[in-house]
Amino acid sequence: MLVDPSGIDLSSSALRHLAGLLAVRRVEVGTRWRRLPVGRQALLVLAHLRCGHTYTQLAAGFGVGTTTVYRYIVEAVEILAALAPDLTAASHAAKWKAFVILDGTLLLIDRIAADRPYYSGKHHRHGMNVQVIADPLGRLLWASPALPGAVHDIKAARTHGIIDALTTEDIPCWADKAYQGAGGTIRVPYRGRWGTLSTGQQAHNRSHARIRALGEQAVATLKSWRLLRKLRCSTTRITDLVKAILTLYLAASS
C-alpha cells in the first residue's frame, strides 16, 4: 500500500492530553512494552477519529497490524468515553449560562433497507439519533448517547431525561419545531404557515431562528470529526465514540 502523510487539523494540546491519559493507563495495567509509544498511539487514534482513516490505512501508515490498530483505538476510546460529562454534570455547568440550545442530529451509518429501526423518515437515511446541547455562543456542552435513527427528537429528549434536567435547573432552552409539546423550559417557534401567523408570531419565529441557528455550530463541531460523517462500525460502539470526541473537544476548549 502507498502511504501518504496527511495533516490532522487539531491543536497539539489534544495530542498531549490523550497521550497523558494513555500513559496513565499503561502504568495502571503494568504494560512493559508496546509497538508504539503513547505519543504515536495518541496520534493514531486522533487520525482515526478526526480524519476517519480506516484500520488498514492506519496500519500501513504506522507500521503495525490492523489488530493492533483496533486494540489501540478501542483502549483510547474507552478511556475518553469514561471521562465525558453526563447530563447532570452538563446541566450544572449550563446553569450559569443565559440559555442553552437543544438540537438533534443524525449520524449516518452503513445499513441496509431491512434495518427499519435505524431508518429516519425525516432524513430518509439510516443513522443514529444524537441530541446536542450548546451554549449561547454555539459551543458544544453535551452530546447524548446514540439512539436508532427512527426515534423522533422529542422522544429522544424524553428518553435521555433532557427536558426534566433542564427544567429542574430552570435553564431556558431554545429548540426547533421537532420539540413541540416538550413543556418545561423548552421554547419552540410557533407552528403554522408563515402567512397565517400574526405579526408578533412572525417576529418571534425570526428571533427564535437566529438564536437556534447558533446550535447548528455545535452540530457542525461534532461532525467536523470525519469519522462521524459515515459510521461503518457496530451501532453499539457509536455512543462511546461520541463521548470520546466530546471529551477531546471539551479538553481542547478548556
Side-chain angles (χ1 to χ4, degrees), residues 24-33:
V24 172
R25 170 58 65 90
R26 292 191 183 188
V27 172
E28 290 175 347
V29 300
T31 300
R32 293 186 178 181
W33 179 87

Side-chain angles (χ1 to χ4, degrees), residues 186-239:
I186 309 297
R187 303 179 181 181
V188 296
Y190 288 102
R191 295 187 66 178
R193 294 182 179 276
W194 187 257
T196 64
L197 299 178
S198 67
T199 303
Q201 290 173 332
Q202 290 177 358
H204 174 275
N205 282 8
R206 287 195 198 96
S207 175
H208 191 282
R210 283 194 295 269
I211 295 173
R212 190 168 46 79
L214 297 172
E216 297 295 335
Q217 296 180 24
V219 173
T221 296
L222 197 63
K223 292 188 176 181
S224 66
W225 297 76
R226 296 171 187 84
L227 181 69
L228 298 184
R229 296 180 185 177
K230 185 63 179 289
L231 290 154
R232 293 176 173 83
C233 62
S234 169
T235 55
T236 59
R237 294 186 55 215
I238 295 176
T239 291

Side-chain angles (χ1 to χ4, degrees), residues 50-124:
R50 186 68 174 184
C51 304
H53 293 334
T54 65
Y55 295 162
T56 303
Q57 291 171 324
L58 294 170
F62 285 84
V64 296
T66 54
T67 303
T68 301
V69 170
Y70 174 79
R71 289 201 309 269
Y72 280 172
I73 291 173
V74 168
E75 178 185 45
V77 168
E78 178 185 309
I79 294 170
L80 292 168
L83 297 175
D86 58 15
L87 180 58
T88 301
S91 298
H92 284 317
K95 183 168 60 174
W96 308 106
K97 309 292 183 181
F99 60 88
V100 296
I101 304 164
L102 174 62
D103 200 3
T105 187
L106 187 77
L107 302 181
L108 301 182
I109 60 174
D110 188 14
R111 284 295 181 274
I112 61 175
D115 294 317
R116 297 300 298 177
Y118 300 101
Y119 185 78
S120 169
K122 175 182 178 181
H123 299 276
H124 305 291

